Amino acid sequence: MLSSRSFKLVGLACVAPAALVLGGCDRQSNAPAQPEASAGAKPLTGTLDLSHKGTPLPAFTVRDPSGKTLNLASLKGKPALVNLWATWCAPCIAELPTLDRLAAEGLGKFRVVTISQDMQTAKVADFLKTNGDIVIEPWLDPETELSFRYGASTLPTTILYDAAGKEVWRFVGGRDWMAPETAKLLEQGGIGVGGEHERGP
């Protein structure tokens, strides 16, 4: 499991300072094919979006670095948190340690599925390897099709589904998933994570 110090934040950010939107990385249509990391991380100040409530899980297949596949529609049956991220997105990296802790608390009760939008999948495997043991599931979408299917113009974007496979809300931009108010948000999807979160080192 990751500590809050596990990820190296220096030198990782969005495409450019002007592309910082809601504490996330803006995926502009004129952005380079694979953005390079740059300095200038911003606070995690994402926003809650309820406009897609009730939308079913997409029948979309992703794979992990070993080649194993997962159809997102198969997540139905337990609540799930689907997170779109990239190694070049500073808010994505900043929130990953708390997302990993949330996944550890939820083992057996709900799933946290992280899906990288990096086009160069080797970078994802190397990044995760250098950051030690993790609980979150490292799925890949190198064609970034899922971002377009979700209409996600900002990374990270995190979508909560209930056990019926229906969207409850999505969070656009970075978030501290160990913040006390997160528990109330997760309860809307039938996820109970126990008492107040305690912060690690």
Side-chain angles (χ1 to χ4, degrees), residues 111-185:
R111 288 179 73 173
V112 174
V113 179
T114 61
I115 305 172
S116 166
Q117 300 299 286
D118 286 89
M119 296 177 186
Q120 299 174 20
T121 57
K123 284 187 175 182
V124 181
D126 290 344
F127 175 82
L128 295 174
K129 187 183 298 184
T130 59
N131 285 291
D133 295 331
I134 61 171
V135 175
I136 52 176
E137 302 177 32
W139 299 98
L140 307 168
D141 175 27
E143 302 299 324
T144 68
E145 293 180 33
L146 199 52
S147 284
F148 291 105
R149 184 170 294 203
Y150 276 123
S153 59
T154 300
L155 294 179
T157 291
T158 305
I159 305 99
L160 175 65
Y161 291 96
D162 60 21
K166 302 292 186 181
E167 182 170 335
V168 178
W169 47 253
R170 62 182 61 184
F171 201 83
V172 181
R175 179 175 183 80
D176 177 355
W177 295 99
M178 287 289 100
E181 63 271 18
T182 295
K184 293 181 180 179
L185 283 175

Side-chain angles (χ1 to χ4, degrees), residues 4 7 14 50 60-61 78 82 94 96 130 139 158 166 187:
S4 59
F7 286 96
C14 301
L50 302 174
F60 185 84
T61 300
K78 284 185 179 180
V82 175
L96 274 179
T130 59
W139 299 98
T158 305
K166 302 292 186 181
E187 285 172 3

Side-chain angles (χ1 to χ4, degrees), residues 5 37 83 93 132 136 156 158:
R5 294 175 183 169
N83 174 267
I93 305 309
I136 52 176
T158 305

